[in-house]
Amino acid sequence: MIGRAWRVVVGFLASMRTAVGLLLFIGVWSMVATVVTQGADSSSSVIAWDATNPSFSPVVRWLGLHQAFTAPVFWAAALLLAMCTSACAWRRAKVARFRARALTAAAAADPLSPIQAPDLGIVCDPALSGQRALEIASGALERLGIRMRRRGDMLTAVSPAWSAWGSAVFHWALVALIAAVLVGQLVRSEGMMPVAVGQTLADVSASYALSNSGPWHYGGVATRSIRLDSFDPDYKTGGIDRGAVPTISVLDGAGEAVVTQRIYPNHMLHTGSLAINAPACGLSATLSFQDKAGAESGRVIRLVDFSQTATEGTSPIGLLSRRDSAGRILMKMSVTVPLDRAGQGFGEWIPKRPSARLHVTSADGGLLFDGIVRKGESVDLPEGGAVRLVDIGWFSWLSLVDDPTIPVIYAVMVVALVGLSVTTLARQQLVLVTATEGSEGVRLDVALRLWRNVPTSRGEVERELRRALGSDGKGSVS
Amino acid sequence: MTLEIVFMWVALTFYVVATGMFVFGVALNREVLTRRAVLVSALGLVPQIVALGVRWARLGHGPYIGYYEVANALTLCTVAFFVIAAWRNPRLHATGIGIMPVAVLLLGGSMLASKADFPITASLASYWLFIHVAFANVAFAAFAASFGFAVVFVIRQRSTSGKWAKRLERMPEQEVVEGLIARLVLAGFLLWGIMIATGAIWANESWGRYWSWDPIETWSLIVWLIYAIYLHLRFMRHWKGERLAWFAIIAMPIALFCLVGIPTVFNTIHAGYIGGAEG
């Protein structure tokens, strides 16, 4: 019973109809996904798409097409395709083993012995000798694109045994690739870390503004930290403007720089499985809090993103909360930096007269203070004490990806392409020709297997040989 | 009009003439016309290479950016691929009737498009650009050749004993042409696969993600899957004949749409290479 069920399952997975059906499904699903707006159901772009397509919206939402490539339906199809590919790879391996054995045996065939069970037997023109028949056959096959070698009394054109393994290797590599991608999703960690110039942040989840870690991620190297050493808002090299370019150091547990590098497009920082990119930047405001006696009680760095739609050109990243010793919120503060005007918009640089707008509210949202503080100036806080704007500088949004499966994925891709190259380029052919002289004249025996990448066909070979050897209309066995 | 554009018009003229010669050569059963049409196609490559070379020297980068350059490079590879195939196997001359119209449409379209100069931006400044685009061009050339062979196959198949069969009798047997279509699809499948793999590596180096389901990435995968279905039907289900040839005919425009259509229809991070915006 179990054995029968197993055979049914394996038969289904190994079925070409299943494989083609799944390829078709994934292809059509992907096509639809490029037409449907992708994103969370609550995102504004998705809501807008639903509003403009009310008739499709219920189906699209039910199928999960707004997150098409993380939808359970898609993953189920991809997983099933991986299982199908495994079954196909298994079959390809069996075929490859069979062909490789046949090729090896043909390559070692005794040139003096007649071919056992020939695929073609052609009775030649009686005027021809055995040697002449072989010469003519060699020429005819060469015209069809099969170059024959003479080995004793035998003509041979036998591909090397490895040529049979291309397809199997390709399919197994695809299985490994799918597996590596799946494992990658489980162990991978990626996130966006905002770091101001001079700031050093530990590579822990609290340092990230956004992060996404797979369940098997090892949690990061707790002792590793990232430092933004310097920032060039207009870096040029090789005659190309690279844009705003930060110089980043990755520090080990002892605070020693493991690697220091400028980061710009196509010049990411790599160390171990960690890759750091710097896709965006903004401004930072360093604030110094002073107690009632005027002594500095602490410093904070607040970050702002450039925003051409915001009133003064920047929008705050998060709110700063001040709490009392009991943990109650005393006030909330948001910080923006008014930018210089540039044409119709704002100049995305540090303003000529650096300042920050402080917007302070109480815990229940009542406005306590809203005003601009220039660099070096202080304002009194409602709770007592004061806050001083120390400096306006730069910060970088760093994109950190920690994925140890990348080298494996690269390696598997290379293996897959090598396998596919062998499948595409290497011939899989087995041609052996012998001539036997008997009472009826010369008979040409041909072992013929044209499996892959041969520029002719069995029918064409037979016709051409019969024509060349003058046996048209005469009996031939095949 | 610059010398570069003049050369490009000359190339287009050669290709139009070659296409006409292929049509008349096959229709009138004049082998000499089809043979000379291959020569005219090859001659068209000369001014096109000169024009692209002049542009390359002037801009400091190859034909990678903007519809004009991309379509031009695709045309060049398609015609070069065909000329080499026809030179190696003269029995394939007549397939130009299916391939050269593709080249004419592509180059004609590019001549009507903007020919603005786009500099290499920071996001495109990588040696991966050359590798990635080169494989895309050669893969498309293989698919375009499979398309042309399939067109000829279908014409002959529909007229096994009719006039067209006679006009195309110098072609290899249908069985052999069918095998050649499959080999071209297999070659294109390999080259397209390398294009995807190099693109993934470049994306990882540039953006930190080897795959982000961007529309052009997704469509390149779709094209690969479509040709994977073709290969499975051909080699595993042993499909043969006209229906498989139609498959190759329908698949090629999808590959073309992926290369030049997607960036103009969808919002994609690859928009930079076709429109000159930051990619």
Side-chain angles (χ1 to χ4, degrees):
Chain A
M1 183 73 180
I2 294 171
R4 195 176 160 197
W6 173 251
R7 278 194 296 278
V8 169
V9 170
V10 170
F12 172 74
L13 289 175
S15 152
M16 205 44 57
R17 279 191 185 163
T18 311
V20 169
L22 283 167
L23 289 170
L24 206 59
F25 173 78
I26 290 174
V28 172
W29 179 272
S30 304
M31 278 183 199
V32 176
T34 55
V35 180
V36 174
T37 299
Q38 297 296 297
D41 282 350
S42 56
S43 71
S44 55
S45 55
V46 166
I47 290 168
W49 190 90
D50 286 347
T52 46
N53 300 278
S55 21
F56 295 112
S57 170
V59 181
V60 165
R61 278 186 179 261
W62 183 73
L63 287 171
L65 272 163
H66 281 310
Q67 287 130 26
F69 303 110
T70 51
V73 179
F74 179 77
W75 276 105
L79 212 59
L80 205 54
L81 184 64
M83 291 161 78
C84 273
T85 311
S86 305
C88 188
W90 183 255
R91 285 192 170 178
R92 296 284 87 213
K94 281 168 82 173
V95 170
R97 201 162 48 236
F98 165 77
R99 289 183 182 176
R101 277 184 189 158
L103 291 168
T104 308
D110 181 2
L112 300 175
S113 302
I115 294 166
Q116 300 295 318
D119 299 293
L120 298 176
I122 298 171
V123 179
C124 306
D125 187 319
L128 293 175
S129 67
Q131 292 303 315
R132 182 67 191 137
L134 284 177
E135 278 172 25
I136 292 171
S138 177
L141 288 166
E142 193 140 355
R143 279 196 297 280
L144 294 173
I146 301 175
R147 185 165 295 171
M148 305 300 294
R149 286 176 56 205
R150 189 75 185 253
R151 234 175 64 212
D153 290 337
M154 185 182 267
L155 293 175
T156 68
V158 180
S159 302
W162 55 261
S163 65
W165 284 98
S167 180
V169 168
F170 172 63
H171 281 83
W172 279 119
L174 279 187
V175 174
L177 184 64
I178 296 171
V181 169
L182 283 173
V183 172
Q185 297 303 309
L186 298 173
V187 302
R188 179 185 176 94
S189 156
E190 59 185 307
M192 296 294 288
M193 182 190 281
V195 191
V197 174
Q199 199 176 19
T200 302
L201 294 178
D203 184 14
V204 292
S205 57
S207 301
Y208 288 84
L210 291 164
S211 67
N212 182 19
S213 294
W216 293 355
H217 182 63
Y218 57 86
V221 179
T223 53
R224 183 169 65 195
S225 50
I226 313 296
R227 185 177 70 205
L228 178 50
D229 296 323
S230 61
F231 189 91
D232 188 337
D234 190 20
Y235 181 69
K236 289 187 179 69
T237 180
I240 295 169
D241 185 354
R242 311 285 173 169
V245 173
T247 301
I248 300 290
S249 289
V250 177
L251 312 178
D252 62 16
E256 296 294 322
V258 178
V259 57
T260 299
Q261 186 188 309
R262 279 198 181 92
I263 300 178
Y264 50 85
N266 293 303
H267 196 249
M268 289 179 80
L269 184 150
H270 291 275
T271 175
S273 58
L274 180 71
I276 304 178
N277 197 10
C281 62
L283 296 179
S284 66
T286 307
L287 302 174
S288 166
F289 286 92
Q290 290 151 355
D291 60 19
K292 290 169 186 168
E296 185 174 275
S297 59
R299 282 191 177 202
V300 293
I301 295 174
R302 304 306 303 163
L303 307 175
V304 297
D305 271 330
F306 293 120
S307 167
Q308 293 293 335
T309 56
T311 317
E312 292 174 310
T314 58
S315 57
I317 299 174
L319 288 175
L320 174 67
S321 299
R322 297 271 293 171
R323 295 166 189 272
D324 63 13
S325 54
R328 285 181 304 234
I329 294 176
L330 293 172
M331 60 167 201
K332 292 176 184 172
M333 179 188 288
S334 77
V335 181
T336 54
V337 175
L339 298 181
D340 294 337
R341 283 273 170 187
Q344 298 294 313
F346 297 97
E348 294 187 349
W349 55 72
I350 295 174
K352 284 177 185 159
R353 296 189 63 196
S355 62
R357 176 179 289 280
L358 306 184
H359 183 84
V360 186
T361 60
S362 60
D364 57 6
L367 182 65
L368 299 175
F369 175 80
D370 184 58
I372 289 179
V373 188
R374 300 208 179 280
K375 183 178 170 183
E377 288 179 358
S378 303
V379 291
D380 292 334
L381 293 171
E383 62 177 273
V387 61
R388 184 168 65 92
L389 177 62
V390 178
D391 198 11
I392 299 290
W394 291 95
F395 88 93
S396 259
W397 276 112
L398 300 183
S399 162
L400 285 87
V401 178
D402 195 351
D403 188 347
T405 61
I406 296 284
V408 179
I409 287 172
Y410 284 6
V412 171
M413 278 197 308
V414 169
V415 172
L417 291 172
V418 168
L420 190 54
S421 302
V422 171
T423 310
T424 308
L425 303 172
R427 283 190 187 190
Q428 288 178 42
Q429 65 182 21
L430 186 165
V431 186
L432 301 177
V433 183
T434 55
T436 315
E437 291 181 34
S439 54
E440 292 180 352
V442 175
R443 179 189 149 105
L444 207 73
D445 287 332
V446 185
L448 189 67
R449 294 281 189 277
L450 308 176
W451 285 307
R452 195 58 80 84
N453 299 332
V454 186
T456 183
S457 65
R458 181 191 167 115
E460 201 172 41
V461 167
E462 185 175 359
R463 274 188 295 278
E464 184 63 17
L465 285 178
R466 288 177 64 185
R467 191 192 59 74
L469 295 165
S471 66
D472 282 2
K474 292 187 180 174
S476 70
V477 289
S478 59
Chain B
M1 194 183 287
T2 62
L3 195 64
E4 171 198 322
I5 302 300
V6 171
F7 271 108
M8 209 57 89
W9 279 112
V10 172
L12 180 59
T13 308
F14 271 112
Y15 295 157
V16 170
V17 170
T19 305
M21 289 170 74
F22 279 120
V23 171
F24 285 110
V26 173
L28 304 175
N29 202 12
R30 298 277 301 275
E31 199 206 349
V32 67
L33 264 183
T34 53
R35 202 168 56 232
R36 286 184 184 162
V38 175
L39 183 68
V40 173
S41 305
L43 286 174
L45 288 170
V46 177
Q48 198 185 4
I49 290 168
V50 170
L52 284 177
V54 167
R55 190 176 175 87
W56 192 325
R58 184 165 56 79
L59 296 179
H61 65 77
Y64 319 126
I65 313 171
Y67 178 80
Y68 170 72
E69 290 185 3
V70 171
N72 234 300
L74 291 174
T75 309
L76 183 75
C77 287
T78 301
V79 177
F81 197 100
F82 163 67
V83 167
I84 292 169
W87 170 63
R88 284 177 60 100
N89 190 344
R91 292 195 297 172
L92 299 174
H93 283 174
T95 57
I97 198 172
I99 297 168
M100 286 312 289
V102 177
V104 167
L105 288 175
L106 260 175
L107 192 58
S110 81
M111 294 310 289
L112 298 175
S114 162
K115 297 165 195 73
D117 298 347
F118 295 115
I120 286 280
T121 58
S123 59
L124 292 174
S126 167
Y127 57 88
W128 284 109
L129 175 65
F130 173 78
I131 300 169
H132 182 56
V133 173
F135 279 106
N137 288 336
V138 188
F140 176 76
F143 289 149
S146 75
F147 170 88
F149 283 31
V151 166
V152 171
F153 181 89
V154 169
I155 292 171
R156 276 215 305 191
Q157 196 72 4
R158 294 202 158 195
S159 171
T160 39
S161 58
K163 292 178 190 168
W164 285 95
K166 189 159 177 58
R167 286 164 186 160
L168 294 165
E169 68 185 358
R170 288 184 195 86
M171 290 274 298
E173 288 182 16
Q174 286 288 75
E175 200 183 355
V176 177
V177 175
E178 199 167 40
L180 284 171
I181 297 170
R183 288 183 70 190
L184 285 167
V185 168
L186 192 55
F189 184 73
L190 166 68
L191 296 163
W192 196 270
I194 297 174
M195 185 266 284
I196 292 175
T198 54
I201 294 170
W202 186 17
N204 192 54
E205 296 304 303
S206 186
W207 303 318
R209 292 187 70 109
Y210 54 83
W211 195 262
S212 53
W213 294 109
D214 174 68
I216 212 159
E217 290 175 356
T218 307
W219 275 87
S220 63
L221 181 67
I222 290 167
V223 169
W224 210 55
L225 292 180
I226 287 170
Y227 280 107
I229 292 172
Y230 174 98
L231 293 170
H232 279 86
L233 293 175
R234 172 73 173 86
F235 291 112
M236 307 307 294
R237 297 284 299 171
H238 302 292
W239 269 31
K240 290 196 171 204
E242 206 177 314
R243 60 180 177 171
L244 200 62
W246 274 112
F247 200 124
I249 290 170
I250 291 165
M252 190 282 282
I254 300 173
L256 183 60
F257 174 67
C258 175
L259 290 172
V260 297
I262 296 285
T264 56
V265 175
F266 293 102
N267 185 17
T268 162
I269 45 178
H270 284 79
Y273 90 85
I274 204 84
E278 187 68 30

